[in-house]
Structure formats: structure tokens, C-alpha cells
Amino acid sequence: MAYENIIAEKKGGVGLITLNRPQALNALCAALIDELAHALDDFEADDDIGAIVVTGSEKAFAAGADIKEMKDRTYMDVYGQDFITKGWGRLATTRKPTIAAVSGFALGGGCELAMMCDMIIASESAKFGQPEITIGTIPGSGGTQRLTRFVGKSLSMYMNLTGEFIDADTALRSGLVAKVLPNAEMLDEALRIGAKIAGMSRPITMMCKEAVNRAYETSLAEGVLFERRVFHSTFSTEDQKEGMNAFAEKRKPSWKHR
């Protein structure tokens, strides 16, 4: 499929999706979201892809949702169409591990999109924010929910109620991002991490991702029980046998991805 608002390409075992609306600082219009969901579907179905990196430009990961597209909508319009549901949440439901590689602005829907990924790798120029309050609305795709889980109530309240941005170092200290690197090194590091994940057993990485995500959806006791049951289930895979035998024999495992 030929895309107009994104670039989708393979980097070995990593699928790379680049948001590509430079004239609008990668504002998330409906067409971009549709293309993003389509590219994610393609990479999910591709057995050669073991991880997915989503990035933008050096100036902006995504500066937010496209306000010009939504400013004249009515309540019944957005409620009836369940606006910011179809396509918007596709990244959060991706089974393969995902990495947001963020430079520049990740604001509003852009920050929410980054948080849908399994981890965020940021450049030193990254700025994160939920400025919806400044235009008379609130976040609609996880900005009050995921952000609070990641950084805690106080910082989330500060960002959501003032609309002010935080820099990459603050995002790192608060747990929003996993690593901060110089601008020129950030994407290469995200791809390196993606390639390392892609070099693992596919079913085991998906099981591990599912177990970590369960930590945000349930109590500790239920989460540990879920983890243990998934751990038990890995013993039914060929890759568990291969991985442990390779360790015992001091050799590199040869994954079968089953």
C-alpha cells in the first residue's frame, strides 16, 4: 500500500513506521491514523517482523491531534461516531513489542500515541505534554489515564491541568521514558533495541509483553498468578526447550518461533 502520511519499511526483523506530515508537525489526522493502523496490521501479520518502532521527525514525533479536523464537531457527532476510538487505539493492542522513538514535540495525541507503545526512547530534544486544557477540552486517548499510571498523580495533574511540557530528563526521572540519547543517536538506539527483541522467540516476547501489561490492569496477587500461569505455559513451547538446552550447552539458541 502506498501511504501519504506515513512511511513504513523493514529494517531486518524490525518494522519502522515514520509519521510523515512535516508541514503539520505530524499532527494526527484521520488519514494518518488509518494508515498507521493498516501498517501495524501488516507488520503484525509478517512473520519476519519481531518488533515495531514508531517515530516522527527531529522536530516533532507528533504535535497532537489535527485540531482543524475536529474543531467544528458537535457532541452528538463525536459521541455517535465514537471519535478517537477506531484506529486510534490500534497501537495499544499490538501484540508484538513496540517502541516509540521520540524527538521534538510529543504533545496531546502525540504523547498519548507514544504512551501506547511498550517503551519510549527519547532524544535530548524531546518535549512531552498534554495541552488540551489550553484549548478548552481534555485528553481523549489516554492522556489522563496512561500518563497517571506512568508518572504518578502529581506530575500528571501538573501536565494535564497546566498544559505545560516536560523535557526528556524529567520524563526519564518520572518513568515515562526508558532512555534519553543525543538526537543523532536516538533512532539507531531504538532500532538496536527493536532488533534485539526481534532476535528473541516471537511467542515468548508476546507472552512477556502480555504479562507486563497485566500489571496495569489488575491487583498484584492476580498479576503474579497470571504471570505464573504464563510462565508455566512457556514450557509447552519448542523455544523454551531450545533456549534452556542452548544455555546448558553454552551455545546460541536457534529459535523456531513456536
Side-chain angles (χ1 to χ4, degrees), residues 214-231:
R214 185 59 63 100
Y216 288 96
E217 305 295 338
T218 190
S219 68
L220 177 60
E222 288 299 316
V224 171
L225 178 60
F226 179 83
E227 175 191 77
R228 188 166 299 118
R229 292 295 178 258
V230 175
F231 167 69

Side-chain angles (χ1 to χ4, degrees), residues 65 67 70-71 73 75 78 83-84 108-109 112 130-141 144 159-163:
I67 305 304
M70 69 173 75
K71 66 183 181 64
R73 292 184 177 230
Y75 170 75
V78 295
F83 180 52
I84 306 191
E112 291 170 314
Q130 298 293 159
E132 289 88 345
I133 195 92
T134 67
I135 57 170
T137 188
I138 70 170
S141 196
T144 65
M159 293 173 68
N160 277 291
L161 292 177
T162 68

